[in-house]
Amino acid sequence: MPDLFGGLFLLTRGLLLDMVNQINKEYLRSFVFGCQDALVSTTGVVVGISAAVLDKRLILLTAVITIMVEALSMAAGQYLSEKTIHDIPNSHHKDNLILGSAIMFVAYAIGGIIPVLPVLLFSGQAASVLSVLFAFLGLYVLGYMKAKLFFGNPTKSSVEMLLIGGLAVLMGLVVGKYLKY
């Protein structure tokens, strides 16, 4: 089966690999973590709320609040957890705490926007279904890019990211469906 995303990555792989080699690996971990967490959390909230209420404004408000609070929380957690490592005697961590936190914030915001786009463009069941599909596609692409950047198996990485993240997304739907008010 031809590599569907391969053409795009062949064009940019050299540039990306140069950037990756110059960037502290901790920052890349922060980006993947932030983006994956946002795709899962935001989709779970959006789909869960959508299953419980029909008011599009309430769904969007909840999504925006979730993205902002979680992005700030993840950035703060990134800072504090890395600072803990920096404070250990004889620790040789040299990453910039502020930059790592900023990367986490931006990654979460990017990942969080993806499942909200269908809610902006569509209503009702279509918005919910498309939010889940957008999140699943985002998880798949994130896993694929991670593997391509680090010479892993793109299919394995994509499926792993999709399955692990997808289970959490589906939990939001189940909880929202059974806890309607």
Side-chain angles (χ1 to χ4, degrees):
M1 179 174 157
D3 188 354
L4 298 177
F5 298 104
L8 175 62
F9 285 101
L10 287 176
L11 294 173
T12 59
R13 187 175 191 169
L15 178 61
L16 288 173
L17 287 175
D18 286 344
M19 288 172 39
V20 166
N21 289 330
Q22 294 176 12
I23 296 174
N24 184 318
K25 301 295 188 251
E26 300 294 320
Y27 303 143
L28 295 172
R29 182 175 64 184
S30 296
F31 184 83
V32 170
F33 181 28
C35 200
Q36 182 275 339
D37 191 62
L39 283 163
V40 171
S41 298
T42 306
T43 304
V45 168
V46 166
V47 173
I49 293 294
S50 296
V53 300
L54 299 175
D55 186 346
K56 185 175 183 170
R57 292 176 300 158
L58 180 59
I59 296 165
L60 287 171
L61 176 63
T62 303
V64 169
I65 290 169
T66 297
I67 293 168
M68 293 311 301
V69 169
E70 287 294 321
L72 287 170
S73 176
M74 293 289 285
Q78 172 76 19
Y79 178 87
L80 294 171
S81 64
E82 283 300 313
K83 186 164 186 331
T84 300
I85 299 299
H86 282 250
D87 289 346
I88 294 173
N90 299 320
S91 172
H92 300 291
H93 278 255
K94 303 288 187 222
D95 55 318
N96 181 311
L97 298 175
I98 301 296
L99 180 58
S101 297
I103 289 169
M104 179 66 80
F105 180 89
V106 169
Y108 196 97
I110 290 168
I113 290 169
I114 293 169
V116 175
L117 290 174
V119 177
L120 286 169
L121 302 172
F122 302 94
S123 295
Q125 187 73 14
S128 292
V129 169
L130 288 171
S131 287
V132 171
L133 292 176
F134 275 41
F136 285 175
L137 180 62
L139 288 165
Y140 188 88
V141 170
L142 183 62
Y144 187 92
M145 290 174 51
K146 179 180 70 90
K148 283 303 230 182
L149 286 172
F150 297 107
F151 301 102
N153 181 325
T155 302
K156 180 181 175 186
S157 179
S158 298
V159 170
E160 177 182 56
M161 186 82 69
L162 177 60
L163 287 177
I164 292 171
L167 287 173
V169 167
L170 293 176
M171 182 58 71
L173 177 60
V174 169
V175 170
K177 182 167 181 62
Y178 290 105
L179 296 181
K180 289 183 181 182
Y181 68 88

